[in-house]
Amino acid sequence: MSILFKNIKELVQVRDKAIAFVSGADMKVLPSIKNAFLLVENGLISDFGTMVECPKLNVKTTIDATGKIVMPTWCDSHTHIVYAGNREGEFVDRIKGLSYEEIANKGGGILNSAKKLQALSEDELYAQSKIRLEEIMQLGTGAVEIKSGYGLTLEAELKMLRVIKRLKKDYPIAIKATFLGAHAVPADFKDNKQEYLEMLVNEIMPKIAEEQLAEFVDVFCETGYFSVDDTEFILKAGKKHGLIPKIHVNQFNSIGGVQVGVKHNALSVDHLEVMNDNDIKALKNTQTMPVALPSCSYFLSIPYTPARKMIDNGLPLALATDYNPGSTPSGNMNFVVATACIKMRMTPEEAINAATLNGAYAMSFEQQVGSITKGKLANLILTKPIESIASIPYNFGSNKIEKVFLKGEEL
Ligand code: NIG
Ligand code: FE
């Protein structure tokens, strides 16, 4: 099965050699080829170049992309799309004046989602979650990380992870799974958090390793949730079970979570709405990717990650949705890119690097996706006719995608 895209107005995010990620001033550079062709064979990118170099081929499908852009699909490195029900009631409560924290203290928040999820069968949870997965594929996402963390018991955490495993098997989108048992302390363990942490480590982690249910381990490191010491305890245990750290830090407070992430070679540290100079310094010249989640800032009306300052200090940055029922009920990477440009003053080139190449790195998918590179998966967005790549953030809220291809197959 081969496809030839011809007369592409601009082929964007072209990297002859696969690179891990871009940082600092390099984030402004988004390499492209104007008036290009792209050849897909057996689900992979097999050749590309200018139309002048386009070989005469007898391919099954030819697509004329005159006036249109071709680029890699979005890489969404932070989501919680396996969840039960919704939290629309809390949304209305927040409009009426309650804070995210006040709602959580009233028994809402993560514990509310956990109660709903514990009551669902695995099949029901799968049925609800696959709708969201199909939705994000249509919106141009071709690789996604999905977390557990709305189960908070042995059975319910494993149920979530098994649903993710089924989604991996059933869909062409590339998926990685993260164990986020340390998302909130369940009511039963309110006065004995350590016992809960030990349950995560001694009972759930061995099962995850045995059934190969996750690649990563995550902790919500935040005042009122899990401390820096708790985080360290979970990351160390996770590593023993082959789980690479990727953590929630600095959403509301800077308490040293970034530093503990870097110390344990976290693949990414995510949220970072509140960043002081020491946090920025700690990330310099490390292999840890900072990840910003602008839709969460938008939805909760909290500060945006100081992307400009971080990039100007030489750091890399990835962008992800955080799709979840509480803080970000949206999985639209096009909106994330637009919001990063509009609210965080990232240039379109920086935002697209952050949402493709750097996002792929933040979930260890940089060998497979995130750029137009020979041998990578043909996970591609074909836009509608557009002026330039800046149309995507400029026309925020409109859909500029005409077609999405995953592993060389049109959705
Ligand atoms: O990434 N901050 C922690 N966890 C999720 C939201 C959890 C929820 O409210 O359900 C997040 O924003
Ligand atoms: Fe999250």
Side-chain angles (χ1 to χ4, degrees):
M1 172 59 186
S2 45
I3 309 174
L4 178 66
F5 292 86
K6 278 171 61 173
N7 305 317
I8 304 167
K9 179 175 185 170
E10 193 169 0
L11 180 63
V12 167
Q13 187 63 297
V14 173
R15 306 277 173 178
D16 287 331
K17 281 211 180 73
I19 54 168
F21 59 84
V22 282
S23 27
D26 291 340
M27 286 196 65
K28 280 198 174 54
V29 183
L30 185 65
S32 73
I33 302 175
K34 296 219 164 101
N35 193 24
F37 81 92
L38 174 74
L39 180 65
V40 172
E41 286 176 311
N42 302 319
L44 304 177
I45 295 168
S46 76
D47 200 8
F48 56 85
T50 62
M51 274 311 288
V52 181
E53 303 159 327
C54 184
K56 297 257 173 305
L57 293 164
N58 200 357
V59 292
K60 190 159 171 266
T61 313
T62 301
I63 294 173
D64 182 10
T66 301
K68 302 167 186 175
I69 285 176
V70 173
M71 56 177 286
T73 46
W74 305 122
C75 297
D76 188 353
S77 67
H78 181 139
T79 82
H80 311 245
I81 62 171
V82 172
Y83 63 79
N86 64 63
R87 305 226 299 270
E88 284 172 17
E90 293 179 16
F91 168 60
V92 177
D93 283 346
R94 270 194 309 105
I95 294 171
K96 290 179 182 160
L98 287 186
S99 71
Y100 182 77
E101 204 178 358
E102 284 164 336
I103 290 166
N105 292 341
K106 274 193 355 172
I110 297 165
L111 297 186
N112 182 2
S113 285
K115 203 156 64 186
K116 293 187 206 290
L117 190 141
Q118 287 162 10
L120 279 194
S121 72
E122 189 184 305
D123 284 345
E124 286 167 324
L125 184 60
Y126 178 86
Q128 290 191 14
S129 305
K130 80 179 182 121
I131 295 169
R132 287 183 281 271
L133 190 70
E134 288 168 8
E135 178 200 9
I136 67 167
M137 286 160 57
Q138 293 290 346
L139 290 166
T141 298
V144 65
E145 178 260 16
I146 311 173
K147 299 173 195 296
S148 73
Y150 288 120
L152 311 182
T153 63
L154 171 73
E155 299 73 32
E157 283 294 308
L158 293 178
K159 178 164 67 187
M160 288 188 83
L161 292 167
R162 287 177 187 136
V163 166
I164 301 172
K165 196 171 181 174
R166 278 171 68 183
L167 294 171
K168 270 189 194 180
K169 190 165 68 58
D170 296 349
Y171 286 88
I173 183 171
I175 299 176
K176 291 261 168 106
T178 300
F179 174 49
L180 175 57
H183 197 191
V185 182
D188 298 349
F189 293 88
K190 200 163 69 58
D191 302 314
N192 200 346
K193 187 171 60 175
Q194 189 56 32
E195 205 180 303
Y196 179 63
L197 291 171
E198 278 162 23
M199 191 277 285
L200 298 179
V201 165
N202 299 329
E203 292 178 40
I204 307 189
M205 281 188 189
K207 285 295 257 176
I208 290 172
E210 187 191 312
E211 289 184 44
Q212 297 192 340
L213 290 172
E215 286 86 13
F216 306 120
V217 63
D218 196 342
V219 179
F220 187 17
C221 178
E222 182 59 59
T223 309
Y225 292 82
F226 296 94
S227 69
V228 169
D229 288 346
D230 300 336
T231 303
E232 191 149 32
F233 178 78
I234 293 290
L235 298 192
K236 277 187 178 161
K239 281 206 260 184
K240 281 198 194 122
H241 291 92
L243 302 172
I244 298 162
K246 251 177 88 63
I247 58 176
H248 283 71
V249 287
N250 292 44
Q251 183 177 4
F252 301 106
N253 300 284
S254 169
I255 58 171
V258 169
Q259 288 74 4
V260 88
V262 169
K263 178 177 166 195
H264 289 280
N265 267 315
L267 181 60
S268 73
V269 285
D270 303 29
H271 271 288
L272 313 179
E273 287 87 342
V274 178
M275 287 290 274
N276 64 36
D277 289 347
N278 283 334
D279 297 325
I280 292 179
K281 218 162 96 194
L283 285 164
K284 277 199 185 166
N285 303 317
T286 70
Q287 299 301 303
T288 299
M289 178 64 67
V291 180
L293 310 165
S295 300
C296 175
S297 300
Y298 176 83
F299 189 72
L300 292 185
S301 300
I302 61 174
Y304 288 89
T305 301
R308 200 57 281 140
K309 189 171 175 189
M310 292 164 69
I311 296 170
D312 292 345
N313 269 279
L315 295 187
L317 190 71
L319 289 166
T321 63
D322 198 16
Y323 197 173
N324 76 74
S327 72
T328 323
S330 162
N332 190 342
M333 282 295 284
N334 306 280
F335 179 79
V336 165
V337 166
T339 308
C341 294
I342 297 161
K343 294 293 181 188
M344 294 155 70
R345 289 183 50 231
M346 289 173 74
T347 66
E349 291 79 11
E350 287 173 329
I352 291 167
N353 273 321
T356 55
L357 193 63
N358 286 4
Y361 176 85
M363 51 180 155
S364 287
F365 264 146
E366 71 275 16
Q367 301 290 332
Q368 287 85 6
V369 290
S371 64
I372 304 295
T373 304
K374 285 181 199 173
K376 281 196 179 183
L377 295 176
N379 287 13
L380 306 165
I381 290 173
L382 173 69
T383 70
K384 294 173 183 169
I386 55 176
E387 192 58 37
S388 78
I389 200 68
S391 300
I392 294 174
Y394 172 74
N395 293 122
F396 73 97
S398 345
N399 178 13
K400 293 293 168 193
I401 296 178
E402 187 168 285
K403 285 179 179 159
V404 178
F405 297 80
L406 296 182
K407 297 185 179 159
E409 301 271 345
E410 187 183 332
L411 289 190

